[in-house]
Amino acid sequence: MNETLKRTISGAVYIALLLTSILFSTESFITLFGVFLIITIYEFSNIVNLNKIFSILFGISIYAAIILVSHYNKQTTAFINDTFNSNISLDTNIKQLDLILLAVTIVVSIKCIIFLFYDSVQKVSTSSKYLYLLGYITLPFVFIVKISFGTNDYNPKIILGLFVLIWTNDTFAYLVGKSMGKHKLFERVSPKKTIEGFLGGVVFAAFAGFLISKLYIQPKPEFSSKSILIWTIIALIVSLFGTIGDLIESKFKRIAGVKDSGSIMPGHGGILDRLDSVIFVAPIIFLFYQILYYVS
């Protein structure tokens, strides 16, 4: 089969699966990203040479536990008490939990950025590998789910808007970079990325953010200007930190000597290759929402 056709079909299947799960129900969205997490951990463990079974059990246990406690607390408590004939309470200060998880993730994200720029690092210690597994892979999946709940209930428009911005940034960064890119952005890690491509991605993502705020989210008239500003800022965050996330994954692959994180998506590579931007962006967007909530 032609390589372009393979890439088109696998990309279409991925997008259809993503859109269906997000729009169908909260549970289908959470389940799909749980499956994506398992595959991503498997691919990451391959790249950095970690025990796959332990890593998957570690990651999915944390993901499931946090989601159940945060968003299905009453149901989880009732199930445990009925099953084990107990009388425990899982009441948790969710805001405090979120802040702790966010602090851990941001610290690991900073470590990832230092790792990206620190040229002398050509191998990763075992302790760092597990730290990356927690804060670079697992917890960002938790924040992807938490973002979708906004300030209250599950809102598929938020997470769909985020993915549209990421896809827009990636697509136009590639197109602009290919057509007029001359200056390398970070050649020693990703030789094909250019400054022109990066700026093209920023501009078109910002425009997409404007369109999302005007045509898709459709806020009340009195909040229209604020919505435009918020989604433009989100677009800028996506462009900057999405690119950094892509470069960080490229650094891991370069050290491992592999081109793709996996082969589950013909023509695209692995799930980590598809989600490397969103998993690095998600905690920053969640932090941005927290700041908005406290200053509004």
Side-chain angles (χ1 to χ4, degrees):
M1 187 184 292
N2 181 278
E3 188 64 27
T4 303
L5 183 58
K6 281 183 184 178
R7 185 178 176 87
T8 302
I9 292 174
S10 64
V13 170
Y14 166 73
I15 292 174
L17 187 62
L18 196 64
L19 294 179
T20 302
S21 72
I22 291 172
L23 295 172
F24 184 73
S25 71
T26 312
E27 288 71 27
S28 63
F29 166 66
I30 292 172
T31 301
L32 178 67
F33 272 83
V35 173
F36 280 171
L37 175 59
I38 291 171
I39 298 170
T40 301
I41 292 174
Y42 179 87
E43 293 173 348
F44 181 73
S45 299
N46 261 339
I47 292 173
V48 301
N49 196 26
L50 278 177
N51 182 288
K52 298 179 188 64
I53 295 176
F54 176 79
S55 297
I56 289 172
L57 290 174
F58 172 78
I60 202 65
S61 297
I62 290 175
Y63 175 83
I66 294 173
I67 299 303
L68 289 174
V69 168
S70 297
H71 303 293
Y72 297 91
N73 194 291
K74 291 181 180 178
Q75 297 92 324
T76 304
T77 301
F79 175 79
I80 291 174
N81 287 335
D82 289 345
T83 303
F84 298 101
N85 195 25
S86 57
N87 190 30
I88 67 169
S89 174
L90 294 179
D91 284 343
T92 307
N93 188 326
I94 304 301
K95 291 187 182 299
Q96 194 173 62
L97 174 64
D98 288 346
L99 289 176
I100 292 171
L101 297 176
L102 187 60
V104 172
T105 310
I106 295 299
V107 168
V108 177
S109 297
I110 293 171
K111 180 176 171 61
C112 286
I113 294 172
I114 294 172
F115 165 71
L116 174 62
F117 285 93
Y118 199 39
D119 285 343
S120 63
V121 176
Q122 291 304 316
K123 62 179 182 178
V124 184
S125 67
T126 301
S127 59
S128 290
K129 290 175 184 178
Y130 281 107
L131 193 60
Y132 291 134
L133 176 64
L134 174 65
Y136 169 63
I137 301 293
T138 304
L139 291 182
F141 274 84
V142 172
F143 285 115
I144 289 172
V145 173
K146 285 182 174 291
I147 287 170
S148 69
F149 279 84
T151 57
N152 195 357
D153 297 322
Y154 178 66
N155 184 354
K157 288 187 176 183
I158 295 175
I159 199 68
L160 280 178
L162 178 59
F163 272 103
V164 167
L165 291 179
I166 287 172
W167 292 334
T168 302
N169 179 70
D170 288 349
T171 300
F172 284 96
Y174 171 77
L175 292 175
V176 173
K178 188 175 182 180
S179 62
M180 55 189 294
K182 295 180 180 178
H183 302 88
K184 300 298 182 182
L185 179 66
F186 211 114
E187 189 171 10
R188 63 180 179 269
V189 172
S190 186
K192 293 183 180 180
K193 289 190 184 299
T194 63
I195 294 174
E196 291 84 358
F198 169 73
L199 294 176
V202 170
V203 170
F204 281 96
F207 181 63
F210 170 79
L211 292 179
I212 288 170
S213 66
K214 292 293 287 183
L215 304 176
Y216 186 53
I217 300 299
Q218 295 178 333
K220 294 178 181 178
E222 60 268 28
F223 295 114
S224 179
S225 59
K226 185 181 290 187
S227 176
I228 292 172
L229 177 62
I230 289 171
W231 278 97
T232 302
I233 293 173
I234 290 174
L236 295 176
I237 292 172
V238 164
S239 300
L240 175 60
F241 289 96
T243 301
I244 293 174
D246 190 22
L247 289 170
I248 288 169
E249 197 227 355
S250 294
K251 178 71 177 283
F252 278 116
K253 291 190 294 187
R254 182 166 289 274
I255 291 176
V258 297
K259 181 178 180 292
D260 297 316
S261 66
S263 57
I264 194 170
M265 293 180 62
H268 290 272
I271 295 297
L272 180 55
D273 292 320
R274 294 301 91 213
L275 296 178
D276 56 0
S277 296
V278 72
I279 63 173
F280 201 76
V281 164
I284 311 299
I285 297 296
F286 185 81
L287 174 61
F288 176 63
Y289 270 115
Q290 298 308 301
I291 294 171
L292 280 179
Y293 176 78
Y294 283 110
V295 300
S296 61

